[in-house]
Amino acid sequence: MAYQTFTALRRGYTHPLFCEDFLFTHQLGDRFQVMAVMDGSSMGETSFFASTLVAKLLRRVCTQIVYLPVFNGPLSLPELGELLIKQLFDELKQARNTLFLSQEETLTTLLLAITDQTLQQSWVMAVGDGVLLVNDHLQVFNQDNQPDYLGYHLHCSTEEWWRTQPPPSVFSQVNRLVLATDGLLAIDFVAPPENIQTWAQRLLTAPLPSAKPHALDQLLSGWLKSHEGTPQDDIAIVCLQQSSFIS
């Protein structure tokens, strides 16, 4: 089954200098697509750095993981997800030690998804706040502004950290998968909608205007203009869409 990825990144007016959100997409072998959005903690130091660092480490992990013998074996989607997130945790620990980073310089949320494009299944893990859409169903991850960042656990072993995590979700028959930072729910409107989550769901399920790479950014811009909305917080969105469902 053929899929396409689309992205949008928007700086909110409360962050005049840097966008603290970042995003990541990567084709993993012939079969898997990896996507992620990160939101650096505003309470941390150089929060744009933390979110960008995780994206760069994800690229390193994805580049290396295809050369592992286990990747070419009978690896299930949950097993691949566990392998990838553990490798990322190890890389973040190593980066902290190599760069002499403080804990505050590693604080970022992470919403990570791996999609098996052959089986149309997606594995999703949330570390902190964020927004997930699978087909038409919207799910909001909200930890009341107290995200359990990866950076809080870098003193632990990888296995110790993994055992404390809630089990990731696996979804089947995925036609559209969207990950977004919680800035999508922090928009100022001239005439506020009755329910911001309903507004977000309508946006994320709206048909993309084209199959061009900037189509999602174009859709977001059009919706903000037509609804007279101004992003207060930064917004990062990645969308994986079956090609047959694109206008």
Side-chain angles (χ1 to χ4, degrees):
M1 184 63 64
Y3 287 84
Q4 288 181 255
T5 57
F6 304 88
T7 64
L9 188 62
R10 192 65 54 92
R11 181 163 52 87
Y13 68 78
T14 57
H15 299 148
L17 297 181
F18 301 104
C19 179
E20 298 179 356
D21 291 5
F22 209 68
L23 52 82
F24 175 80
T25 64
H26 186 91
Q27 179 69 38
L28 193 64
D30 298 327
R31 182 172 169 181
F32 301 101
Q33 179 67 228
V34 181
M35 311 191 312
V37 293
M38 288 71 62
D39 179 1
S41 170
S42 296
M43 295 182 296
E45 295 179 19
T46 55
S47 48
F48 66 91
F49 168 77
S51 56
T52 307
L53 174 64
V54 168
K56 301 307 181 184
L57 293 177
L58 269 172
R59 183 176 64 184
R60 175 180 169 86
V61 169
C62 289
T63 301
Q64 293 178 332
I65 209 168
V66 295
Y67 297 105
L68 297 178
V70 67
F71 181 78
N72 297 307
L75 194 65
S76 69
L77 186 58
E79 289 171 338
L80 176 59
E82 181 178 345
L83 176 63
L84 194 149
I85 190 66
K86 285 182 176 179
Q87 293 270 47
L88 175 63
F89 188 85
D90 286 340
E91 290 287 345
L92 187 56
K93 288 181 68 172
Q94 183 175 338
R96 179 203 59 179
N97 295 334
T98 301
L99 300 175
F100 297 97
L101 300 177
S102 67
Q103 183 183 84
E104 288 71 23
E105 292 174 298
T106 64
L107 301 182
T108 180
T109 65
L110 171 65
L111 193 53
L112 175 66
I114 306 173
T115 298
D116 185 328
Q117 297 170 106
T118 301
L119 298 179
Q120 297 177 254
Q121 293 181 338
S122 295
W123 175 97
V124 179
M125 181 171 182
V127 181
D129 300 342
V131 178
L132 167 68
L133 180 101
V134 181
N135 298 332
D136 295 328
H137 179 69
L138 186 81
Q139 182 177 355
V140 175
F141 300 97
N142 186 350
Q143 296 186 344
D144 295 323
N145 290 321
Q146 294 180 322
D148 192 22
Y149 298 116
L150 290 176
Y152 287 156
H153 301 276
L154 298 181
H155 62 282
C156 301
S157 72
T158 304
E159 292 300 329
E160 286 174 332
W161 169 76
W162 177 250
R163 286 195 296 268
T164 66
Q165 298 306 298
S169 301
V170 177
F171 302 92
S172 300
Q173 298 180 326
V174 176
N175 299 319
R176 176 183 280 197
L177 178 74
V178 184
L179 310 178
T181 54
D182 63 356
L184 187 63
L185 306 179
I187 298 174
D188 290 346
F189 295 93
V190 173
E194 291 186 8
N195 188 307
I196 185 61
Q197 291 189 23
T198 300
W199 183 91
Q201 182 179 26
R202 289 172 180 167
L203 165 65
L204 298 181
T205 55
L208 293 169
S210 71
K212 296 180 180 178
H214 64 271
L216 181 60
D217 190 68
Q218 182 181 349
L219 176 67
L220 176 61
S221 296
W223 270 65
L224 290 173
K225 183 177 180 180
S226 63
H227 292 84
E228 298 181 288
T230 303
Q232 179 188 124
D233 196 4
D234 304 330
I235 302 173
I237 310 174
V238 292
C239 171
L240 183 68
Q241 174 88 42
Q242 278 192 17
S243 299
S244 58
F245 285 81
I246 300 173
S247 300

